[in-house]
Amino acid sequence: MSGITDFLTGPWEHLFMQRAFAVAVMCGIVSGVVGSHVVLRGMAFIGDAVSHSVFPGVAIAFVLHVNLVLGGAVAGLLTALAVAVFSQNRRLKEDSVIGVFFAAAFGLGIVILSTAPGYSGSLESFLFGQILGISDGDVLTVAVTGLVLLAVAAAVHKELVTVSLDRETARAAGLPVFALDIVLYALVTVTVVISLQAVGNILVLALLITPAACARLLTDRIGVMMLLAPAVGAGSAVVGLYLSYAYNLAAGGLIVLVVTAVFVLCWVFAPRHGLLAAGRRRRSRGRTGAPPESAPVRPAAAEAPARTPAG
């Protein structure tokens, strides 16, 4: 019994672990909320694109000896704005435009860094995360930024859901679709930037997408999904940090592995949409001869507002 107690309380005796837990939980919550909109929109690729598009900003900040996170945020927001603008041409699908700009941004970052010798060690924390080395200032920055992100996401929640469900209907109802695109891209960009210290540039997509994907398997209700996703993200971050402390392994990688394990469990055992549930339905239909059932889309009426054009 004492061994379990030591395992649970041991990490909290260290200030660096307390900071790590605080940042990990906050990043897990924010990523879960913002990631839910990304998964609903079917644009998971944007998380990967943004995580790479911050690279040239970080490279420029490194060369100029300024704050790396600030440089990454500026570059990510500019790339997100470019994607939003070019995606308005419906001849091109959104993922195609994202692919163009994320590759260009990453290429630009490589070119810039090639002019600055000795950069690899300094950028290790950016690529792989350094959650155990964050400062009190970092915790405060993540807390304030996270609260702002959650407030913005709550303010435009219904509008973002409406655009995700039916873009053309949202436009016909008078919603500012282009502005909402920019808001969503900005939310994703800032979420990625504040999560870099937790899991790093390479793994940040998992923290943004996987908790929301778990929630999508567990519920048909968008409101419930918005609660489950941050719970999965924050819980996985805490478990990952405990394992990192106990076994002296990379914290960012373990956080990602834990949330991926949760996804696999949801994929198998989800009560309605899991593998086992689907097998039971197939066996039941085989016995009764009933036709296959369709998967309904059931957003709450209050979550998908119908608006009429002004004037």
Side-chain angles (χ1 to χ4, degrees), residues 30-231:
V30 174
S31 296
V33 172
V34 176
S36 294
H37 288 291
V38 174
V39 169
L40 283 174
R41 186 81 165 260
M43 47 181 287
F45 193 33
I46 185 63
D48 194 33
V50 169
S51 67
H52 286 77
S53 69
V54 302
F55 191 51
V58 170
I60 293 173
F62 175 80
V63 172
L64 298 179
H65 303 288
V66 298
N67 187 274
L68 299 184
V69 174
L70 178 61
V74 171
L77 288 171
L78 289 176
T79 305
L81 179 61
V83 170
V85 170
F86 281 82
S87 294
Q88 298 308 301
N89 185 337
R90 306 317 298 174
R91 179 70 176 174
L92 292 174
K93 290 187 176 181
E94 199 168 43
D95 59 348
S96 300
V97 178
I98 291 170
V100 170
F101 282 97
F102 117 73
F106 200 69
L108 177 60
I110 293 173
V111 171
I112 294 172
L113 283 181
S114 67
T115 66
Y119 61 84
S120 57
S122 301
L123 292 179
E124 182 179 353
S125 61
F126 167 75
L127 293 174
F128 305 109
Q130 196 177 28
I131 194 170
L132 301 182
I134 59 178
S135 64
D136 291 333
D138 295 327
V139 176
L140 180 61
T141 299
V142 172
V144 173
T145 307
L147 288 174
V148 171
L149 289 173
L150 292 177
V152 173
V156 296
H157 168 75
K158 294 179 180 179
E159 289 79 2
L160 289 176
V161 169
T162 303
V163 174
S164 298
L165 294 178
D166 194 329
R167 187 181 186 85
E168 297 308 319
T169 299
R171 182 177 282 110
L175 291 180
V177 174
F178 176 62
L180 290 169
D181 285 345
I182 294 177
V183 170
L184 179 57
Y185 293 156
L187 288 174
V188 172
T189 300
V190 180
T191 300
V192 166
V193 170
I194 67 171
S195 301
L196 289 178
Q197 289 175 303
V199 294
N201 175 265
I202 295 176
L203 301 177
V204 72
L205 181 65
L207 198 60
L208 183 69
I209 301 301
T210 310
C214 294
R216 187 67 172 148
L217 289 170
L218 293 173
T219 181
D220 293 325
R221 308 295 293 180
I222 294 175
V224 178
M225 180 180 176
M226 293 290 173
L227 296 176
L228 285 177

